[in-house]
Every structure is written in C-alpha cells, then in structure tokens.
C-alpha cells in the first residue's frame, strides 16, 4: 500500500510518499518539504494570506518531486491523503483541493487527515508502536496530553489553558530580540546560560489534572527583562536557560500527571510518544528520556524532522485510515478547528 500525503495547514508546504511494510510500520519513499520561515520572519509570526499563496506556489513542484524521488507514479498510488485541518483555512484549502483533484483524476481513494492525528500516529510509522500509548503533543499551536487508544480513538487528558509551549518559546524569544521562530534560538542561547540564575515560576506543578499554563511564566520573564536597563548577552543566555529549565520541569510534571490519569482510565500504556515542533528541543528530549526510564515506560521520540510538520505523517495517517476502509468523499470541507477528542473540547468550552 502506497499513499501520497499533502500538508499545508501552517507554514510548511510538504508532500511525501509512504509505503506500508508487510511486517507493519512504514517506509518513507520520499519526503519533500519547503519551510516558509523566510516569508514570515519579517512579521515575527505566520501571516495566513502569505502562507496560502506560498502553498500555491510550492505545492505542485513538491508533489512532482516526491513522486519522482519515490519512483511511484500517480497510477501506482493506493490513495491520496491531505491534512484537512485543524489549521489556517487558506492553506488547508490549497492542500485539500489539490488532493481531491488528484484522487478524482486518477480514480483513487481520497483520505481527509486530521493534522493532530497525523502527529499522534507518527510513532507507529517510525517505531511500529502498538496501541494504546500516551502522547505529549507540543507545537506552536497545540499543547496536549492525549491517550491514543486506536485510530480515531483519542482521550484528551490535558491541554493548555492559555499559551502553547512553542508559542511561549516564540514569545520569550521575541521579548529578547531573538529571530523567529524562537524555539531553536532560545534553546541555543540556553545551552550557554545559567538555568539557576532566575527562579521562574513552574505553573500547575503537582495539580492532579494534566493541564498546562504558560502565560504566568512568560509574564515572569517579561518582568525580569524590565528590571534590566540593558540586556547583555550573558543576561539573555541566563534568561533563556532559566526559562527553559522551568518549561522542562513543568512538562515532566504534567506528563507524570497524564500518565497517572491514563493508567486510571485505560490501564498501562505501551509507551510514551512526544511529537510536535517542541519535541526537537534537546533539554526536553533528555528530561523525558530520564522520566520514561524512571517510570519504566518505553519512549518514542521521532526524529526532529518528523516531529515538525511534514508530509510523511499525513501519508502514514492516510495509510492507517485506508487500511481500515476509512476514506472520504469529495464533499469533505476544510476544518479550521478539529479537536481530536470532541467530548473533552465541549467540556472545556463549558457546553457539556
Ligand atoms: O509542529 P511545528 O513545526 O508547527 C506547528 O506549530 O504546528 O512547531 C513549531 C513550534 C514553534 O513554536 C517553534 O518555536 C517550536 O515548535 N520549536 C521549538 C524548538 N524547535 C521548534 N521549541 C523549543 N525548542 C526547539 N528546539
Ligand atoms: Zn503540527
């Protein structure tokens, strides 16, 4: 089984071809991505209109390259998958329409993939992990702890009540005058700084739920910056190191709470998976490696390239759905919002 996957929900345009191995797990035959970082850098964040136009510019070339590199022709595909949300509507429309057009023209099944589900299932592509498992999904737009029980079966155990973790990294970077996207810049500066110089708060620590809150920590960094008349390089490094140390402590504590909830509700998980752009952070990877070892939990940390947005995860989620017979019609509409666990979402919004 071979599926083409298309990703256009944010500021990465990506196309990939993935094959299902007969023995389980997947093989990435081609994985093409163009990051639009340069287009958005001047604005300090993703500009939806610019992103949508850039997806239009890049997408057909990327698909052609992915097919060529994989040696798979359109006729050889078993399906075409695209991320249909959640994300920026203009970009989602570009990828979704392209996938529908290709599926229609070649008479192949079309699969509408939830971008978050694709992140959640990546560890099965890379590590062949079995259900059920505990997932920490941490990116610029999402911070969730999820029980992954099966394809399409997700229980949200925790989420952020304010900023996403990646967003907090980006905002702290901006306050310190570091370039966008800030996460990698903060990590680089932190590696040279003193994590104990500033005693920043660790919000939500030891709360029994697995929720996050990052805005108080961000404000504490802003107040500390305000106490300095001028920031020297040393100060920037120490601020980054102290901020990152606080985030690491919060993440480990929240994952511990999530693991407890998972065990109470669903029994022992087969492992812990970390996904999303923030999972590229070395300090966070190291802390979760130590935590998993202590908890006796196997840890799946997909390589950073597969933690950030990519086409291979969309193709893989397409395979997971296609082999269960879960395909979609041409009337599938783009979804700017598309929670993995709608029941939890309703409770969160006070509607249930
Ligand atoms: O998953 P992703 O590529 O895109 C979405 O947000 O969907 O995640 C990007 C986010 C950004 O906020 C970026 O600053 C953060 O992940 N990030 C990092 C690191 N690399 C990327 N945060 C902390 N440390 C990093 N090394
Ligand atoms: Zn993502």
């Amino acid at each position: 089984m071979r599926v083409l996957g298309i990703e256009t929900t944010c500021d990465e345009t990506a196309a990939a071809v993935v094959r299902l191995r007969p023995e389980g797990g997947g093989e990435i035959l081609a994985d093409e991505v163009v990051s639009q970082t340069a287009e958005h850098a001047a604005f300090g964040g993703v500009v939806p209109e610019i992103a949508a136009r850039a997806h239009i510019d890049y997408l057909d070339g990327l698909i052609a390259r992915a097919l060529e590199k994989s040696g798979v022709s359109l006729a050889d595909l078993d399906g075409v998958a695209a991320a249909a949300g959640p994300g920026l509507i203009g970009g989602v429309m570009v990828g979704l329409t392209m996938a529908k057009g290709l599926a229609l023209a070649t008479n192949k099944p079309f699969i509408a993939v939830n971008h978050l589900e694709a992140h959640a299932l990546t560890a099965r592509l890379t590590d062949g992990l079995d259900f059920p498992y505990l997932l920490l999904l941490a990116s610029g737009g999402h911070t969730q702890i999820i029980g992954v029980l099966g394809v399409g079966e997700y229980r949200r155990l925790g989420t952020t009540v304010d900023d996403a973790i990646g967003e907090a990294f980006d905002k702290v970077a901006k306050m310190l005058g570091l370039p966008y996207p800030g996460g990698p810049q903060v990590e680089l500066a932190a590696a040279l700084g003193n994590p104990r110089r500033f005693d920043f708060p660790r919000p939500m620590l030891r709360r029994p739920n697995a929720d996050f809150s990052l805005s108080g920590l961000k404000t504490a960094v802003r107040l500390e910056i305000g106490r300095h008349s001028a920031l020297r390089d040393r100060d920037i490094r120490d601020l980054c190191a102290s901020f990152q140390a606080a985030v690491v402590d919060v993440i480990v504590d929240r994952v511990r709470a999530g693991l407890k909830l998972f065990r109470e509700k669903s029994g022992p998980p087969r492992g812990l998976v970390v996904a999303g752009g923030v999972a590229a952070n070395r300090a966070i990877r190291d802390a979760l490696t130590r935590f998993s070892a202590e908890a006796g939990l196997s840890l799946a940390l997909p390589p950073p390239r597969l933690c950030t947005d990519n086409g291979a995860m969309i193709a893989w989620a397409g395979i997971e759905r296609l082999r269960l017979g879960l395909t979609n019609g041409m009337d599938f509409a783009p979804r700017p919002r598309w929670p993995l666990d709608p029941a939890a979402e309703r409770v969160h919004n006070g509607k249930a």
Side-chain angles (χ1 to χ4, degrees), residues 12 139-141 166-167 169-170 181-184 187 276-278 280-281 307-309:
E12 259 93 31
S139 69
E167 188 182 358
F169 269 93
D170 294 337
E187 180 178 7
V278 175
N281 184 289
C307 286
T308 53
D309 291 348

Side-chain angles (χ1 to χ4, degrees), residues 206-228:
R206 285 181 284 282
R207 296 266 183 98
N209 67 35
D211 285 341
F212 290 79
S213 169
L214 277 310
S215 75
L217 171 56
K218 183 189 64 191
T219 303
V221 175
R222 175 175 293 127
L223 293 175
E224 186 56 49
I225 292 172
R227 287 189 198 103
H228 300 250

Side-chain angles (χ1 to χ4, degrees), residues 9 115 119 139 142 276 307-309 313:
T9 62
H115 175 92
H119 276 303
S139 69
H142 302 278
C307 286
T308 53
D309 291 348
M313 68 177 190

Side-chain angles (χ1 to χ4, degrees), residues 119-304:
H119 276 303
L121 298 176
T122 301
R124 289 166 54 74
L125 161 68
T126 55
D127 296 61
L129 191 65
D130 281 329
F131 298 121
Y133 52 86
L134 184 68
L135 168 75
L136 167 66
L137 176 59
S139 69
H142 302 278
T143 295
Q144 301 187 355
I145 295 181
I146 292 169
V148 181
L149 310 181
V151 175
E153 263 189 274
Y154 308 99
R155 297 286 171 278
R156 198 184 72 194
L157 303 169
T159 187
T160 178
V161 299
D162 40 57
D163 292 347
I165 299 175
E167 188 182 358
F169 269 93
D170 294 337
K171 286 179 176 170
V172 164
K174 201 167 184 176
M175 291 182 227
L176 293 170
L178 300 173
Y180 174 87
Q185 303 291 331
V186 170
E187 180 178 7
L188 280 174
L192 304 169
N194 174 5
R196 279 174 293 277
R197 176 157 162 211
F198 303 106
D199 186 18
F200 290 135
R202 270 79 170 149
M204 299 294 213
L205 221 61
R206 285 181 284 282
R207 296 266 183 98
N209 67 35
D211 285 341
F212 290 79
S213 169
L214 277 310
S215 75
L217 171 56
K218 183 189 64 191
T219 303
V221 175
R222 175 175 293 127
L223 293 175
E224 186 56 49
I225 292 172
R227 287 189 198 103
H228 300 250
S229 49
L231 286 176
R232 295 164 305 156
D233 283 354
R234 175 88 262 146
D235 301 324
I236 292 178
R237 290 170 187 161
D238 293 345
L239 283 162
C240 286
S242 302
F243 163 76
Q244 184 174 276
V247 173
V248 165
D249 285 352
V250 168
I251 289 178
V252 170
D253 181 78
R254 304 293 69 209
V255 170
R256 183 180 291 117
L259 177 60
K260 189 160 180 290
L261 290 175
F262 187 107
R263 284 182 171 144
E264 284 164 13
K265 291 179 192 207
S266 315
R270 296 276 176 87
L272 169 66
V273 174
V274 190
V278 175
N281 184 289
R282 194 75 250 169
I284 295 171
R285 291 171 85 89
D286 290 348
L288 288 171
T289 303
R290 282 193 300 275
F291 167 77
S292 311
E294 283 162 23
L297 210 56
S298 85
L299 176 69
L301 275 169

